Amino acid sequence: TRFAPSPTGFLHIGGVRTALYNELVARQSDGDFILRIEDTDQTRFVEGATEDICVSLKRIGILPNEGVWIDDDGKIFERGLYGPYTQSKRTEKHRAYAQQLVEMRRAYYCFCSSERLDDLRKTQTLAHIPTMYDGACRTLSAEDIQSKLASGEKYVIRLKLPREGTIQMQDAILGEIKFDWSLIDDQIIIKSDGFATYHLAAMCDDHDMEITHVIRANEWVASTPKHIFIYESFGWELPIFAHLPLLLNPDHSKLSKRQGDVAAHEYIDKGYMPEALINFLSLLGFNPTGDRELYSHEELISLFDLTKVNKAGAVFNAEKLHWMNEQYIRILPIEKYIALTREFIVTEEKDEIFIQRCLIGVRDRISLPSQVVELVQPFLQQDIEYSQVSIAWKKQTLDEARNRLIALREIIVGLQDMGVSELEAYIKNSISEKKWVVGETLWPLRVALSGEEKSSSPFELLWILGKERSLKRIDSAIDFLKG
């Protein structure tokens, strides 16, 4: 398989899904997954786009084993037996193939000026007929062609497609599709600048690189008859074609930047984990088993089935991605979780164990690593403001709440360093022994430690803050309740 993006800007998140599906099919079959850069449209080339494509795929973990790639120093290189893999470097090969098609009378020189073609389109538009080339140069004599070439007239080369009849194709996802040749334009395959268009270059390169599965975006369905025509003209064996459904916004419009992020690197930069992105994108149009939603990369390789990809467009549900990222954050080993989130905390606090406990304490409340900044801040602040919260529980008086905190303070003074579950068991046992009401005890304690009406449990807060910080906050709450 091959993923063959054009270096005309950042890698689109939809392109990542295309790359992923290609990678899954290749790995599943113990085959090769190639990254090819299709840069024959030099007018749209964007500096740095190839690097963005490679770096984005690398960071997500979709790794081609052949083709264009990037080293640790950011330098682009190529590897594999079927290079070059940058399409513009294959220009002579493409021209040779085009010349063969001309000699087989499956393509022809077209000398029509851009002015004539513009006038033709305007006339066809006014007449409400399809805008397509009228074939004026299809019947030029060999003498006329040679004369024009000799005089240096500009030309393109077009496919000489059938004018009548139909063509049928089998798509691994869409099934059987029929096209009417009369509605298909004589496609330009060599432009006036000498570069091949996608239609010739991609098909010739796919053949030369022994691509068995052409898995690409749905937008290429209408062009497939032209591609089959090229294959059949040379007598080549057709690859399996599979056209992926579009990615859609929630309003079912085509996924676009107007309604959210579409660049792959934006998702990575925001802290979406590679495992979550791969899992999420794989399910946009495909459901391996239907009984769960979390799959490892290796599981997806074994379960993926092109024939089970949905025909309809898939809605890009950002909330689902948030949820999925949250699940993967929760199952990260503690060391990796801390490494992922620690860089977001900028503080003068020197106690690294305390900072790490803060991060662990908010782990179940984040879907993106950057969210720890806001969630950890209440733990790091030195002075707690209690004027906006109720330390007393329900009908409990302020004096009762204060006395309960004083009693709790004596218990906490004698505590050794414990885990959250041990702290919970110890304090609940003390509550039971003293026959205290649970709410009248734990509510004041939790608010005293957090300064908030909604927070982590008091046992988690005690563990995160440690004895010294906990006592300091309890003292502040007792002083506040003096009035």
Side-chain angles (χ1 to χ4, degrees):
T1 65
R2 54 48 167 197
F3 177 51
S6 298
T8 55
F10 53 71
L11 177 60
H12 192 284
I13 195 68
V16 178
R17 184 191 63 165
T18 301
L20 174 61
Y21 281 13
N22 274 280
E23 188 247 13
L24 295 177
V25 170
R27 299 279 180 265
Q28 188 179 74
S29 306
D30 195 24
D32 293 311
F33 170 46
I34 294 173
L35 176 62
R36 188 172 73 215
I37 299 297
E38 301 197 339
D39 63 338
T40 56
D41 189 347
Q42 296 287 295
T43 61
R44 297 177 62 217
F45 176 80
V46 173
E47 195 69 39
T50 299
E51 287 81 356
D52 177 78
I53 292 166
C54 295
V55 169
S56 296
L57 292 177
K58 196 173 191 178
R59 291 175 70 187
I60 294 171
I62 301 173
L63 309 176
N65 60 299
E66 191 173 318
V68 176
W69 203 231
I70 192 166
D71 64 21
D72 293 338
D73 296 323
K75 185 178 179 181
I76 296 296
F77 68 98
E78 297 191 2
R79 58 190 175 176
L81 301 176
Y82 297 93
Y85 297 93
T86 302
Q87 213 165 50
S88 60
K89 297 177 182 178
R90 303 175 66 86
T91 300
E92 294 306 316
K93 291 177 180 285
H94 301 150
R95 288 174 184 163
Y97 277 125
Q99 193 57 45
Q100 287 182 55
L101 288 170
V102 171
E103 292 168 3
M104 291 187 290
R105 297 186 180 180
R106 308 285 281 187
Y108 60 94
Y109 291 98
C110 173
F111 299 92
C112 292
S113 66
S114 57
E115 290 78 16
R116 180 185 182 277
L117 296 175
D118 287 342
D119 290 341
L120 176 63
R121 276 191 290 271
K122 290 174 184 176
T123 300
Q124 290 171 333
T125 301
L126 289 172
H128 301 290
I129 59 176
T131 55
M132 53 195 296
Y133 183 59
D134 60 0
C137 292
R138 279 174 70 111
T139 56
L140 285 176
S141 67
E143 292 77 13
D144 283 341
I145 293 170
Q146 288 305 315
S147 174
K148 291 177 181 292
L149 290 175
S151 64
E153 280 194 41
K154 282 190 174 183
Y155 67 87
V156 298
I157 297 179
R158 294 178 181 270
L159 288 177
K160 196 170 188 176
L161 299 174
R163 285 298 183 82
E164 55 187 28
T166 59
I167 178 174
Q168 289 183 334
M169 63 163 284
Q170 189 67 32
D171 189 283
I173 295 171
L174 304 175
E176 189 174 279
I177 310 173
K178 182 184 289 188
F179 298 90
D180 188 336
W181 278 121
S182 66
L183 300 176
I184 302 174
D185 206 359
D186 280 357
Q187 183 68 50
I188 294 174
I189 56 174
I190 296 291
K191 297 175 290 184
S192 58
D193 63 5
F195 282 98
T197 62
Y198 169 86
H199 306 278
L200 177 70
M203 294 309 103
C204 293
D205 292 350
D206 284 346
H207 169 263
D208 289 350
M209 295 176 187
E210 300 182 7
I211 301 300
T212 59
H213 294 67
V214 173
I215 304 166
R216 58 189 181 181
N218 192 271
E219 63 194 44
W220 294 110
V221 172
S223 299
T224 307
K226 306 169 189 177
H227 303 160
I228 293 174
F229 179 83
I230 292 172
Y231 263 85
E232 292 182 341
S233 295
F234 288 114
W236 297 337
E237 182 180 352
L238 284 174
I240 292 171
F241 287 100
H243 291 90
L244 304 177
L246 290 173
L247 293 188
L248 306 174
N249 290 307
D251 63 2
H252 288 261
S253 60
K254 185 177 178 181
L255 188 66
S256 68
K257 194 168 182 63
R258 289 191 303 276
Q259 296 196 39
D261 299 328
V262 294
H265 68 254
E266 291 177 323
Y267 289 92
I268 305 167
D269 292 343
K270 284 185 175 180
Y272 287 101
M273 296 179 61
E275 297 89 343
L277 282 168
I278 285 175
N279 195 157
F280 174 74
L281 291 171
S282 70
L283 302 187
L284 291 178
F286 172 70
N287 195 328
T289 62
D291 61 347
R292 60 191 174 107
E293 295 185 279
L294 298 181
Y295 299 89
S296 70
H297 198 161
E298 291 304 314
E299 285 179 312
L300 290 167
I301 289 170
S302 63
L303 293 170
F304 189 71
D305 186 347
L306 265 180
T307 65
K308 293 183 179 179
V309 174
N310 295 333
K311 297 179 176 66
V315 173
F316 192 99
N317 185 340
E319 290 183 4
K320 183 67 165 292
L321 176 57
H322 292 330
W323 173 84
M324 199 166 280
N325 206 55
E326 187 176 298
Q327 307 312 305
Y328 279 98
I329 286 174
R330 288 181 181 180
I331 62 176
L332 267 181
I334 288 294
E335 310 80 45
K336 289 188 176 181
Y337 166 74
I338 290 173
L340 180 70
T341 53
R342 179 62 182 89
E343 63 184 276
F344 292 95
I345 304 302
V346 179
T347 176
E348 295 180 1
E349 175 62 56
K350 304 300 182 185
D351 187 342
E352 192 61 31
I353 292 177
F354 168 54
I355 295 171
Q356 291 184 9
R357 286 188 176 188
C358 291
L359 293 171
I360 293 169
V362 302
R363 180 175 185 169
D364 290 346
R365 296 161 61 192
I366 67 170
S367 55
L368 289 173
S370 59
Q371 291 171 337
V372 298
V373 176
E374 182 178 351
L375 293 172
V376 163
Q377 187 54 42
F379 300 131
L380 299 176
Q381 63 189 29
Q382 296 298 314
D383 299 312
I384 305 297
E385 174 58 56
Y386 295 109
S387 61
Q388 301 301 314
V389 296
S390 173
I391 301 178
W393 185 70
K394 293 186 177 179
K395 296 180 180 179
Q396 187 181 41
T397 67
L398 297 182
D399 281 343
E400 288 171 338
R402 180 172 176 272
N403 290 332
R404 188 57 50 86
L405 286 176
I406 291 171
L408 282 166
R409 188 187 193 287
E410 294 306 311
I411 294 172
I412 293 167
V413 165
L415 288 177
Q416 302 300 314
D417 190 21
M418 300 178 181
V420 175
S421 58
E422 293 172 300
L423 283 166
E424 182 174 1
Y426 187 87
I427 291 175
K428 283 186 174 179
N429 184 58
S430 298
I431 291 172
S432 178
E433 287 179 352
K434 297 179 182 299
K435 295 183 171 51
W436 288 339
V437 176
V438 173
E440 290 179 353
T441 306
L442 296 185
W443 176 276
L445 176 60
R446 187 180 58 74
V447 176
L449 294 171
S450 68
E452 300 173 344
E453 291 191 351
K454 293 181 179 180
S455 70
S456 303
S457 76
F459 319 111
E460 292 175 303
L461 293 170
L462 283 170
W463 177 76
I464 292 168
L465 293 168
K467 185 192 294 188
E468 184 180 334
R469 292 181 185 83
S470 296
L471 291 174
K472 182 180 177 182
R473 291 192 176 194
I474 291 170
D475 289 342
S476 294
I478 291 170
D479 289 342
F480 175 79
L481 290 171
K482 286 180 180 177

